């Protein structure tokens, strides 16, 4: 335990240092499907890990979070070199508020003409009445409305504005979503997209606990779009409408929201199935519950999990303490999403886990790919993430360090790791798989 805490402290210190100074690193030379844009030099020295183990104090840092109204007033217009594909073209500078950080054009709030997301129901039901399932109230499948591309705007995918610095890039993307937690990542949520014969399955991106679609997928979504996929990314599991941190609701209820969203994507695209790509909870329990109990197995071709919370976690032995902290913090921090039944659902031994895996790990007819990291200190032990194939299913378990021994990316940074991006592309299209170039990723967070 002492070694784990020491490693975690070192990793966080490295992350803060990288974020505060944004030095030139070997990651600047990363080659991937989408070139990385320069990281802002005045990067805030904090990041938010997308699971139950982010420090709540980190969310109090941006002054803009306490005054969302101020963020609606843009500064003098400037030209934007890479508008976000899911919003009207940005022509305004980053909003100005007291003590606000100076953000790149990627942080510009979307046009006011874009409709705000529909409020999510606060009641969180269970998907089953089985004795071990959580006891909750009436069912709801309300999904926060995805922010679509503005009418008349070509559905182009822009570059990744946040670079490929793992957890550091995630932290920048989190801050970029503060003004509008419901915004879509570049390249996602064009509901006019029709799948090609080369990529017949739309890709639905499913973020993890305490995260949102924009901060999780601003790296991978444009990569997939540029590769020719129809890409969609939902927000789900809110404790309060427009909360910055989402996916905090009970896993069975979030799975129902995912089911509703997939049905909408299938109806819009005319596809027979989708591919799901998820991180943490979004690559593990939520889609797996959907596959098993909400009819998802007939509608999903492939589930790709990045650091998925399969089989639950002991959080490096800290899960009971962290669950207690979340119970206390949830009473005051519900608007931020600190009230998190999802974290307890993902703790080893929870009723949700017992019921989900009572019938094995997989569903017939679905392919599964799991991408895990040995340096993951959130979903622990990391071997829990691996799945065992049942009848009629295929499983591909990948340990990141087996492919790239010098990639130290842990749990939070996996969604901004070019090596992981390449593994995802290879999983979705194995017939055209390319070698992983193994960019150096030195931050184990």
């Amino acid at each position: 335990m002492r070694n784990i805490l020491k490693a975690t402290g070192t990793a966080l210190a490295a992350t803060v240092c990288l974020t505060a100074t944004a030095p030139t690193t070997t990651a600047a030379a990363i080659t991937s499907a989408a070139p990385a844009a320069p990281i802002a030099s005045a990067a805030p020295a904090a990041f938010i890990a997308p699971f139950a183990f982010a420090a709540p104090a980190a969310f109090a840092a941006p002054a803009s979070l306490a005054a969302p109204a101020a963020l609606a007033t843009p500064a003098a217009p400037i030209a934007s070199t890479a508008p976000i594909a899911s919003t009207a073209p940005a022509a305004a500078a980053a909003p100005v508020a007291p003590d606000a950080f100076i953000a790149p054009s990627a942080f510009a709030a979307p046009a006011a003409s874009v409709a705000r997301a529909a409020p999510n129901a606060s009641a969180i039901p269970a998907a089953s009445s089985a004795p071990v399932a959580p006891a909750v109230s009436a069912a709801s499948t309300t999904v926060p409305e995805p922010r679509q591309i503005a009418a008349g705007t070509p559905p182009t995918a822009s570059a990744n504005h946040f670079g490929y610095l793992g957890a550091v890039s995630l932290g920048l993307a989190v801050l970029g979503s503060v003004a509008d937690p419901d915004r879509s990542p570049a390249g996602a949520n064009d509901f006019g997209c029709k799948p090609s014969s080369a990529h017949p399955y739309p890709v639905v991106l499913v973020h993890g606990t305490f995260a949102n679609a924009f901060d999780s997928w601003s790296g991978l979504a444009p990569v997939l779009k540029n590769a020719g996929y129809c890409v969609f990314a939902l927000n789900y599991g809110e404790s309060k409408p427009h909360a910055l941190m989402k996916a905090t609701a009970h896993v069975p209820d979030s799975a129902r929201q995912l089911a509703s969203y997939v049905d909408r994507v299938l109806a819009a695209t005319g596809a027979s199935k989708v591919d799901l790509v998820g991180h943490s909870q979004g690559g593990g329990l939520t889609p797996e519950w959907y596959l098993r109990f909400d009819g998802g197995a007939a509608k999903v071709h492939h589930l790709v999990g990045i650091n998925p919370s399969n089989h639950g976690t002991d959080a490096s032995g800290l899960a009971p303490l962290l669950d207690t902290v979340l119970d206390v913090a949830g009473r005051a921090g519900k608007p931020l999403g600190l009230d998190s039944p999802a974290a307890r659902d993902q703790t080893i031994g929870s009723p949700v886990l017992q019921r989900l895996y009572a019938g094995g790990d997989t569903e017939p007819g679905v392919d599964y790919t799991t991408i895990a990291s040995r340096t993951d200190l959130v979903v622990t032990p990391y071997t829990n993430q691996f799945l065992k194939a049942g009848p009629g299913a295929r499983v591909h378990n990948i340990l990141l360090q087996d492919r790239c021994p010098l990639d130290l990316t842990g749990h939070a940074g996996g969604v901004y790791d070019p090596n992981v991006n390449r593994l995802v592309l290879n999983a979705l299209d194995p017939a055209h798989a390319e070698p992983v170039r193994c960019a150096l990723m030195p931050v184990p967070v």
Side-chain angles (χ1 to χ4, degrees), residues 220 224 277 304 306 371 419-429:
L220 183 57
L224 292 168
V277 177
V304 181
I306 302 170
I371 304 170
N419 305 322
V420 171
N421 284 186
R422 183 70 257 172
L423 290 171
V424 170
L425 288 168
N426 290 349
L428 294 175
D429 189 5

Side-chain angles (χ1 to χ4, degrees), residues 228-327:
Y229 290 90
C230 291
V231 183
F232 301 88
L234 80 159
N235 287 307
Y236 69 95
E238 296 179 317
S239 61
K240 180 180 179 180
H242 317 308
L244 176 64
M245 293 176 284
K246 307 177 192 294
T248 59
H250 279 297
V251 165
D253 310 314
S254 291
R256 291 190 176 195
Q257 291 187 345
L258 175 59
S260 178
Y261 188 82
V262 168
D263 286 347
R264 182 179 178 191
V265 169
L266 293 176
T269 60
S272 60
K273 293 184 177 183
V274 301
D275 287 328
L276 300 179
V277 177
H279 177 242
S280 195
Q281 179 194 160
L285 269 63
T286 288
E288 289 172 355
W289 190 281
Y290 162 56
L291 293 174
R292 176 147 293 172
F293 299 116
D294 295 311
K299 302 173 184 179
V300 173
H301 168 252
H302 200 148
L303 168 60
V304 181
I306 302 170
N307 307 119
S309 56
N310 300 331
H311 302 114
T313 177
D314 65 4
S316 298
L318 299 177
L321 172 62
L322 292 167
D323 286 344
T324 301
V325 170
L326 286 170
D327 284 339

